[in-house]
Amino acid sequence: MALLRSRLQQILLPSLLSAGLLLATALAYPPLTLALVAVSVAMFWAALWSAAVLLGRRSAWVLAVLALGLGWFAEQMGSSRGWFFGRYTYTDVLGPRLGDVPLAIPLMWLALCLVGYVLASLILWRTPVHAAPTRKSGALTAWLAAMIVTSFDLGADPYFVYVLKAWIMEKTDGGWFGETLQGFVGWMLVSFVIVAAFQALAAPRRVPAIERHTRLAAVVPIGLYASGLVFQMLFGHPIEIRAIAFFAMGMPTLIAWVAWRHWAPAHAGAPQAQPAHSVPLAPMGLQADPLADQTVAALIGPWSDADGATGPATDRLAAATRLMAGWTSNGALAAWGQGDATAAADPAVVAALRAYVNEGRALPAWADAAKVERAEAIFMEQGPLSCTLLFCSSLPECYVLPNLAEVLHIAGQLEQHTEHRIRQTAAMVFPVMMKGGLMDASGAGVAQVLKVRLIHATIRHLILRGEPQTVRGQVAPRLQAGAPTGMHAALMSHGWDVDRQGLPCNQIELAYTLLTFSYSFLKGMRTLGLGLPRADEEAYLHAWNVMGHVLGVRRELMADTMEEAEALFERIQAQARGQTVSPDARPALGRALMHTMERTIRLPVVRGIPVPLTRWLIGPDTARAIGVDERVSWPTRLLFGAGRLLVRLIDTVVRLFSPGFSLSRMFTRIVGYHLLTRFLLDQTRPLGLPDQLLNPLTDTVAAWSEDPGASGWLNRLEDRWTTTGHWLPVQGEGKARRPAPEVEVDAVAS
């Protein structure tokens, strides 16, 4: 209801203003003026509707505010001071004014800027929306849009001056039928700034799906421009304008129309960007991980009674967990189980783990060492920014799938132990992405992932109280007196409906979690205005696909491009939105993550920033689903909203002259520093990391203290918000280590 009321208010105010403008014009001005104002109002609403459909409501209103505000400002400065377009004076032909400018003029600025943007996107990118633009592609789109807008002005200005006498030029012998060349330079400049600023502040993240209303919305700007072309060809004055309009406006109209025809039918009636991943998802919910499941089955043994495995089976699982501590590096896996370290262990446990390691540690034949190395370099180059995206994008996205969130909940009430979860997730991410983590013997990525893979299988067996591939239907909760104590008991006591929920930690959930660490990171980089080149994005996806192979994810559920990743990610989320769960464990997990991050920030106004930052990165729908919908104070909202827009605007302008400049990167690095030093490097906190991981992690973080892509003064400014010199952990006070849990079950979402 609140959302509906907000949208009605958004429509009601401009509707009342439009009606008021038309009424005031009808009462005080002649019919010609009323007709001109009515045309401008109609163009405004057609453009606003088209923008809302193609760009989304928020982006549409950002474009509207920029076009109306900057358009009016430029015209006011032109008519009063001679800026931008030369000195001129508006007459009463165009109706009521704001200052010296008729209100019809800024309405036309919105219509023409939307027309220029859509036509330029169609011509350059074969879609009506240039989603997630880079600095160069966004500038190119804005430049062509400005040329298209100015081409309209070639014929419109002389007609408005000579025939309508809508304004009077102070210099009447200009170089273009009474118009000055300065005027066309001004049109180029102002329209370029509007479109470029819109792309910097609110560019759409994706191209809209091809549906009937989106096809119509995309053709509306072409129709608006074509109507201007027809009018100028029929009534242009002086007569030379008619021939000029045919070519100047005709070529972009024709090319955009052809591009629209190629765009619309090519995907009509089919889900967008889905061909690479047309594999049905439903059967994957009943697929798990045969290798890991067989290993856990060998450890647990037969499930002899309704209560599940107890006694010796529990002892064997505990013994396996202790033995896995010896998997310290990829190289150590090759000879594991053959030395003195396992001599005193149960031979059956050692044999089961040895067979698992031998098969599981092999990398896929399609693994590309160069791409993996490039992905590692990207992670290291981004440094603390990567950690900010981990905390505010990847982890929250993990909670979207209801059944996966339920596993996290029953496996240890993780909303009460969020720091434990964060540290254990980092214990997998960093070994994978640090140099040589997957491909070198000295790395630890493969070893760590194999541990996590076995944890997934353990969870499946304990929840289902049997081998996953043989259990179907309802697994009744195990009744016992009092609340279950320990993770094993909690898992076996919960119950599960395999037919409705699929297997715990199934292939869909594994593939989705893989995307949260690859695709969500890259999507977050784009959102921050720091998008990577396509080759780098695909290298990053490839490295995580190699990790996914070691984790047991099937190859057909991996994405090789951002388009494929987006399609698969949205398909899985759409499936999750169709699931009804009660009680829903997701909000508690999401809110606990936000509260944990807020506690790392001491300044009152800034403390609530994680909530709007996460909403921005993952989108409002996902944020509501996982409970990141808490209201923050209006100073916090104002600080984040105004700061985000200002930072993006400054970054866009300054990068034209200094490509390495980025306030966005600096602020996200600052957030990453505080999260890193609090959650990962402070060993007085719960779940101390082992030295073989902590030492290289500490060295890595210390090397991130300087941003090599930033100038010296930006690094000095960053030091004021972090610390001068190497980044080292901030030791907590009065916090003792807790004993490690019997199974590190929170790694399930890793």
Side-chain angles (χ1 to χ4, degrees), residues 154-156 158 176-177 232 236-246:
L154 285 172
W176 183 262
F177 304 110
Q232 292 190 31
H237 184 84
I239 196 169
E240 294 90 342
I241 292 297
R242 303 179 187 183
I244 292 169
F246 177 79

Side-chain angles (χ1 to χ4, degrees), residues 337-691:
Q338 299 176 357
D340 296 338
T342 59
D346 184 338
V349 173
V350 174
L353 292 179
R354 178 63 187 168
Y356 168 73
V357 166
N358 284 344
E359 184 173 346
R361 69 186 182 88
L363 298 182
W366 44 264
D368 187 326
K371 289 184 177 180
V372 173
E373 184 177 351
R374 179 57 193 144
E376 294 168 350
I378 291 169
F379 183 83
M380 298 303 292
E381 288 167 4
Q382 302 307 326
L385 186 152
S386 304
C387 296
T388 300
L389 293 176
L390 171 67
F391 293 123
C392 297
S393 180
S394 297
L395 284 176
E397 296 273 23
C398 280
Y399 299 149
V400 171
L401 305 192
N403 296 327
L404 183 57
E406 184 175 346
V407 169
L408 287 170
H409 172 76
I410 64 176
Q413 298 290 329
L414 288 181
E415 60 270 25
Q416 299 176 15
H417 305 294
T418 306
E419 293 185 17
H420 174 97
R421 154 130 180 78
I422 291 173
R423 290 166 75 81
Q424 191 58 40
T425 301
M428 186 204 70
V429 173
F430 275 86
V432 168
M433 294 310 299
M434 286 195 296
K435 184 174 178 58
L438 289 173
M439 307 296 289
D440 293 351
S442 59
V446 173
Q448 190 65 24
V449 172
L450 286 179
K451 296 178 187 178
V452 174
R453 183 176 181 179
L454 214 54
I455 291 167
H456 294 165
T458 302
I459 289 172
R460 278 191 293 271
H461 280 256
L462 294 176
I463 290 178
L464 300 177
R465 304 202 297 277
E467 295 189 35
Q469 292 305 131
T470 65
V471 178
R472 292 295 181 269
Q474 182 80 36
V475 178
R478 176 188 175 192
L479 301 178
Q480 62 179 32
T485 58
M487 187 274 295
H488 287 187
L491 289 171
M492 290 191 291
S493 300
H494 183 72
W496 198 263
D497 187 344
V498 176
D499 294 339
R500 181 177 62 86
Q501 298 175 279
L503 295 175
C505 307
N506 58 54
Q507 280 291 320
I508 296 175
E509 293 168 351
L510 293 176
Y512 176 79
T513 304
L514 183 66
L515 288 172
T516 64
F517 292 109
S518 57
Y519 168 70
S520 291
F521 168 83
L522 298 172
K523 183 180 67 170
M525 292 290 290
R526 289 182 174 185
T527 301
L528 292 170
L530 302 170
L532 301 173
R534 184 180 183 88
D536 284 355
E537 288 183 331
E538 292 181 0
Y540 202 82
L541 289 169
H542 180 82
W544 279 97
N545 285 343
V546 174
M547 175 272 186
H549 173 87
V550 179
L551 190 63
V553 181
R554 296 175 59 153
R555 184 67 177 98
E556 60 266 36
L557 287 174
M558 298 179 188
D560 297 311
T561 67
M562 283 294 284
E563 292 78 15
E564 292 178 356
E566 179 184 19
L568 181 58
F569 194 77
E570 292 186 351
R571 287 178 64 203
I572 297 175
Q573 284 202 340
Q575 184 187 65
R577 286 192 292 270
Q579 298 173 354
T580 302
V581 292
S582 180
D584 191 348
R586 297 176 298 175
L589 294 169
R591 289 168 188 153
L593 180 62
M594 294 301 104
H595 294 162
T596 301
M597 288 193 288
E598 288 171 4
R599 288 196 295 270
T600 68
I601 303 174
R602 294 181 174 85
L603 295 177
V605 175
V606 185
R607 185 173 297 136
I609 287 293
V611 173
L613 176 59
T614 301
R615 285 177 186 163
W616 181 40
L617 290 172
I618 68 177
D621 294 338
T622 299
R624 281 192 295 270
I626 66 170
V628 186
D629 53 0
E630 298 178 341
R631 294 188 62 84
V632 295
S633 65
W634 70 263
T636 300
R637 294 200 306 271
L638 179 63
L639 175 66
F640 180 78
R644 179 166 64 86
L645 295 179
L646 183 62
V647 164
R648 291 296 295 272
L649 183 59
I650 293 173
D651 280 356
T652 300
V653 174
V654 176
R655 281 186 209 159
L656 295 175
F657 311 98
S658 177
F661 180 88
S662 177
L663 290 178
S664 177
R665 186 173 65 247
M666 183 191 74
F667 287 124
T668 48
R669 279 174 53 85
I670 291 171
V671 174
Y673 162 80
H674 290 285
L675 296 174
L676 276 167
T677 54
R678 175 178 175 85
F679 292 132
L680 302 185
L681 300 186
D682 183 358
Q683 285 293 79
T684 64
R685 309 195 67 75
L687 186 63
L689 299 177
D691 289 341

Side-chain angles (χ1 to χ4, degrees), residues 17-19 21-22 36-46 104 107-108:
L17 293 176
S18 299
L21 175 59
L22 290 172
L36 292 171
V37 172
V39 168
S40 69
V41 170
M43 291 177 64
F44 166 80
W45 278 104
L107 297 182
M108 295 180 68

Side-chain angles (χ1 to χ4, degrees), residues 273-334:
Q274 199 170 333
H277 284 287
S278 57
V279 56
L281 291 180
M284 292 297 173
L286 296 175
Q287 298 294 319
D289 180 358
L291 173 63
D293 287 335
Q294 291 167 9
T295 303
V296 173
L299 294 173
I300 291 179
W303 291 79
S304 57
D305 54 61
D307 289 339
T310 57
T314 302
D315 294 339
R316 285 193 294 270
L317 283 176
T321 301
R322 290 191 295 271
L323 289 171
M324 286 159 57
W327 301 354
T328 56
S329 69
N330 302 338
L333 296 177

Side-chain angles (χ1 to χ4, degrees), residues 73-402:
F73 173 78
E75 297 285 355
Q76 177 66 26
M77 293 300 100
S79 59
S80 62
R81 304 195 179 191
W83 294 4
F84 303 113
F85 315 106
R87 188 172 293 276
Y88 55 96
T89 303
Y90 278 107
T91 66
D92 291 334
V93 170
L94 294 178
R97 307 183 192 187
L98 176 62
D100 298 325
V101 182
L103 291 171
I105 293 296
L107 297 182
M108 295 180 68
W109 267 105
L110 169 63
L112 289 175
C113 286
L114 187 275
V115 165
Y117 171 75
V118 172
L119 266 64
S121 297
L122 283 167
I123 293 170
L124 290 172
W125 317 114
R126 296 297 186 268
T127 64
V129 169
H130 181 34
T134 63
R135 179 173 58 88
K136 292 182 180 179
S137 67
L140 181 60
T141 304
W143 182 261
L144 181 57
M147 294 180 69
I148 292 170
V149 171
T150 306
S151 295
F152 176 89
D153 202 42
L154 285 172
D157 270 20
Y159 184 85
F160 273 76
V161 171
Y162 277 99
V163 179
L164 297 179
K165 295 180 172 52
W167 60 82
I168 299 171
M169 300 297 301
E170 182 176 292
K171 182 180 179 181
T172 59
D173 57 344
W176 183 262
F177 304 110
E179 274 287 346
T180 64
L181 294 179
Q182 179 187 350
F184 296 102
V185 174
W187 271 79
M188 278 289 298
L189 175 63
V190 175
S191 53
F192 175 85
V193 169
I194 291 173
V195 176
F198 158 70
Q199 292 183 100
L201 299 176
R205 299 183 182 184
R206 59 180 63 88
V207 177
I210 309 298
E211 299 173 357
R212 182 177 180 181
H213 69 290
T214 55
R215 295 199 301 272
L216 178 60
V219 85
V220 163
I222 302 176
L224 291 175
Y225 203 67
S227 64
L229 165 64
V230 171
F231 183 90
Q232 292 190 31
M233 288 176 59
L234 294 176
F235 305 107
H237 184 84
I239 196 169
E240 294 90 342
I241 292 297
R242 303 179 187 183
I244 292 169
F246 177 79
F247 294 100
M249 296 180 65
M251 283 193 290
T253 302
L254 178 61
I255 297 172
W257 179 72
V258 172
W260 174 83
R261 283 181 59 84
H262 280 256
W263 174 71
H267 302 281
Q272 187 181 10
Q274 199 170 333
H277 284 287
S278 57
V279 56
L281 291 180
M284 292 297 173
L286 296 175
Q287 298 294 319
D289 180 358
L291 173 63
D293 287 335
Q294 291 167 9
T295 303
V296 173
L299 294 173
I300 291 179
W303 291 79
S304 57
D305 54 61
D307 289 339
T310 57
T314 302
D315 294 339
R316 285 193 294 270
L317 283 176
T321 301
R322 290 191 295 271
L323 289 171
M324 286 159 57
W327 301 354
T328 56
S329 69
N330 302 338
L333 296 177
W336 185 85
Q338 299 176 357
D340 296 338
T342 59
D346 184 338
V349 173
V350 174
L353 292 179
R354 178 63 187 168
Y356 168 73
V357 166
N358 284 344
E359 184 173 346
R361 69 186 182 88
L363 298 182
W366 44 264
D368 187 326
K371 289 184 177 180
V372 173
E373 184 177 351
R374 179 57 193 144
E376 294 168 350
I378 291 169
F379 183 83
M380 298 303 292
E381 288 167 4
Q382 302 307 326
L385 186 152
S386 304
C387 296
T388 300
L389 293 176
L390 171 67
F391 293 123
C392 297
S393 180
S394 297
L395 284 176
E397 296 273 23
C398 280
Y399 299 149
V400 171
L401 305 192

